[in-house]
Amino acid sequence: LTVGVAKEDTKVDSLSYGTKYNKNLESTGYYAQHKYDGSRLKTQIGIREEDNKQFGKHTVYQGSAKYFVTDSLYGGVNAGTGFRAPNGNDLYGYGGNPDLKAEESKSYEAFIGKDFNLGDGVLNVEASYFHNDIDNLINSACVRNCTSTAPNVWPVYGNVNVDKAQIKGSELTARWTNANWNTGLSYTYLTAKDEVRETDLSRRPNNSLTASVGY
């Protein structure tokens, strides 16, 4: 069982599009987390209350469970709620918007995986499905000159809230490790939608491939 307090105090001095900002962003979080580590079943639950000076108090929850069917085959689920207040860059940086609202979200994930003994190392293969519903998602979007064709007139991008967004998809990951090396390859397919406008969210690719090597 872990309990704690986290405090953040950020001073922002910014000049954005000719407007000066001198702000203090303060937030204090109080949290408790319980972790159970059994031979087959592993669980974790947590609760956190965030007291944000600018955006008020918010309580979020998180829970996860992982069960080993055999020593090498397992499955599990994760679920939780989330709260993210805009930071200094979101509010007052380049493209900042001081009228942003805080993000609130619900997320779910299910996964299954298996370990294979391969040579002098272990190959882990895991597949997962995830689903996130987000209110007031902070997103970069065109706010001025979006359709202009005039010479030397460029689109202007800034941070806006997406009233309701949904991000969901699946991921397939393979990792190989031994005493000295670790390598990984993962493929992710996702859809990210603005549910109100029924359009795709910007800068979130449908397909992504990631490779890593470590020694």
Side-chain angles (χ1 to χ4, degrees):
L1 179 67
T2 304
V3 296
V5 179
K7 182 165 180 64
E8 182 176 349
D9 189 350
T10 304
K11 182 180 180 181
V12 180
D13 295 311
S14 173
L15 178 65
S16 180
Y17 294 108
T19 302
K20 290 184 177 181
Y21 295 100
N22 300 102
K23 298 287 186 179
N24 273 75
L25 306 179
E26 298 178 30
S27 188
T28 305
Y30 308 90
Y31 61 89
Q33 181 174 286
H34 178 271
K35 184 178 181 181
Y36 171 75
D37 220 351
S39 59
R40 293 290 185 190
L41 178 64
K42 303 177 188 298
T43 64
Q44 185 171 289
I45 57 173
I47 181 172
R48 181 183 180 108
E49 181 176 274
E50 196 72 23
D51 186 359
N52 187 285
K53 184 177 180 180
Q54 194 167 356
F55 296 95
K57 292 183 178 181
H58 297 263
T59 304
V60 296
Y61 308 90
Q62 175 265 335
S64 64
K66 184 177 182 180
Y67 184 77
F68 283 82
V69 181
T70 68
D71 290 342
S72 62
L73 176 65
Y74 62 87
V77 293
N78 300 313
T81 61
F83 163 78
R84 187 179 88 81
N87 60 32
N89 284 330
D90 296 330
L91 294 166
Y92 310 113
Y94 181 76
N97 179 358
D99 296 322
L100 286 174
K101 301 175 184 177
E103 294 181 356
E104 296 186 63
S105 62
K106 295 178 181 178
S107 61
Y108 315 90
E109 182 185 22
F111 60 89
I112 186 170
K114 183 170 175 57
D115 295 328
F116 301 89
N117 292 318
L118 202 64
D120 60 349
V122 175
L123 174 67
N124 170 262
V125 178
E126 186 174 290
S128 63
Y129 171 81
F130 55 89
H131 183 118
N132 303 318
D133 291 310
I134 309 166
D135 292 339
N136 301 319
L137 174 71
I138 298 170
N139 193 54
S140 178
C142 183
V143 293
R144 289 199 306 275
N145 305 332
C146 300
T147 59
S148 175
T149 57
N152 300 320
V153 176
W154 312 103
V156 177
Y157 283 80
N159 294 325
V160 298
N161 284 119
V162 177
D163 291 339
K164 290 190 176 295
Q166 185 180 90
I167 301 173
K168 61 182 180 179
S170 55
E171 186 172 60
L172 181 63
T173 302
R175 306 181 189 89
W176 182 81
T177 59
N178 69 1
N180 299 107
W181 288 93
N182 62 82
T183 62
L185 185 67
S186 65
Y187 166 73
T188 305
Y189 173 79
L190 66 80
T191 58
K193 297 285 187 182
D194 180 330
E195 297 250 270
V196 176
R197 295 178 176 83
E198 298 184 346
T199 57
D200 291 334
L201 295 175
S202 63
R203 302 178 184 179
R204 288 174 171 82
N206 292 125
N207 299 278
S208 60
L209 187 67
T210 304
S212 62
V213 178
Y215 179 77

